[in-house]
Amino acid sequence: MKSAFAESRPFLLLSLLFGISYFFVKDSNIPGLYLMAWKGAGVGFLAIYALVRLHRLDGKIVGAIMALGAVGDMALEYDLVFGAGAFMAGHLLAIAFYSRFRRHKLGFSQKIFAIILVPLSVLIAWTLPSDRAEAPGIAIYCLSVAAMAAMAWTSRFSRYQVGIGAILFLVSDLLIFARMGPLETSIIPDILVWPLYYFGQFMIATGIVATLRHEMAADSADPVHV
């Protein structure tokens, strides 16, 4: 138990520390490079957490997904295209990852939700920007995050943790797109975008690690600590 705490809890605590505190300092006068690092640290420590807790290829993949998210967080401060590219790479990697962990039996409502989620999200994203020239690029990007969320929802990871976390990520991105159109002057995106995104990532990382570690310890009498 002490070993599990020593290996994982400090990284989760550091992630929470930077992830939560960033919300309160993001509009402060902290120099740009420091604020950029602060922003990336929240999800960056989730990447380290996954690498430490899963000593196998899956840990490296989940760590890479989170690392690409952290790179995207930081890059968005200076280059929207590069930041979106990092996130899209992470989504594509996550889609491939979730495809290896398909849920064998899906309820009818769960299938319908997953099927509708992608085209509906893309349609909503396409309608949001006031500058219609930006709509195709936004729709293409949204396709990647919506497909990621649908794959997470239909995977055998916990829907109440990984599935909902991926949906929160998707909603956060839709709010960003809404800020380019109908919610341009609204405070709602400023309040919700970061918390939905960060806690979505936190739920995804911890949910995947918990499931895989339980599976790894299925034949062991030792308790499993996330």
Side-chain angles (χ1 to χ4, degrees):
M1 181 173 180
K2 290 182 179 179
S3 176
F5 183 90
E7 287 185 354
S8 67
R9 298 315 192 272
F11 298 117
L12 287 181
L13 290 175
L14 285 169
S15 173
L16 287 167
L17 173 63
F18 282 100
I20 294 173
S21 62
Y22 176 74
F23 178 80
F24 299 99
V25 302
K26 62 186 176 69
D27 296 319
S28 67
N29 294 323
I30 296 174
L33 287 176
Y34 294 104
L35 191 61
M36 182 178 71
W38 197 322
K39 183 181 184 183
V43 176
F45 277 112
L46 291 179
I48 299 173
Y49 160 77
L51 290 170
V52 168
R53 299 302 289 148
L54 293 174
H55 301 289
R56 57 194 246 192
L57 178 60
D58 291 329
K60 293 180 176 62
I61 295 174
V62 178
I65 293 169
M66 292 295 138
L68 285 167
V71 170
D73 288 334
M74 295 184 288
L76 284 177
E77 298 299 308
Y78 290 94
D79 189 310
L80 293 178
V81 174
F82 183 76
F87 275 116
M88 184 174 288
H91 298 327
L92 295 176
L93 182 57
I95 290 169
F97 176 77
Y98 292 132
S99 69
R100 297 171 47 221
F101 297 93
R102 305 297 297 153
R103 189 180 293 266
H104 298 301
K105 292 184 179 180
L106 283 173
F108 178 75
S109 62
Q110 303 300 336
K111 289 181 180 178
I112 294 299
F113 177 78
I115 291 171
I116 293 176
L117 180 65
V118 177
L120 181 61
S121 299
V122 172
L123 177 62
I124 292 172
W126 182 80
T127 63
L128 288 175
S130 299
D131 184 352
R132 300 312 301 158
E134 296 178 335
I138 286 174
I140 291 171
Y141 170 80
C142 187
L143 175 62
S144 71
V145 66
M148 178 277 294
M151 291 294 286
W153 187 261
T154 57
S155 73
R156 58 184 172 83
F157 297 111
S158 170
R159 284 201 192 99
Y160 297 104
Q161 197 164 356
V162 178
I164 290 178
I167 298 298
L168 292 180
F169 195 145
L170 173 60
V171 173
S172 174
D173 276 351
L174 289 175
L175 284 173
I176 292 175
F177 305 146
R179 189 159 51 191
M180 303 166 68
L183 297 183
E184 183 177 3
T185 60
S186 173
I187 196 174
I188 293 175
D190 291 335
I191 294 175
L192 294 181
V193 166
W194 180 258
L196 289 174
Y197 163 75
Y198 171 72
F199 285 109
Q201 291 278 54
F202 187 90
M203 292 170 71
I204 290 170
T206 56
I208 291 174
V209 169
T211 297
L212 295 182
R213 282 186 58 80
H214 277 290
E215 291 180 357
M216 291 163 59
D219 297 324
S220 172
D222 295 331
V224 175
H225 303 282
V226 178

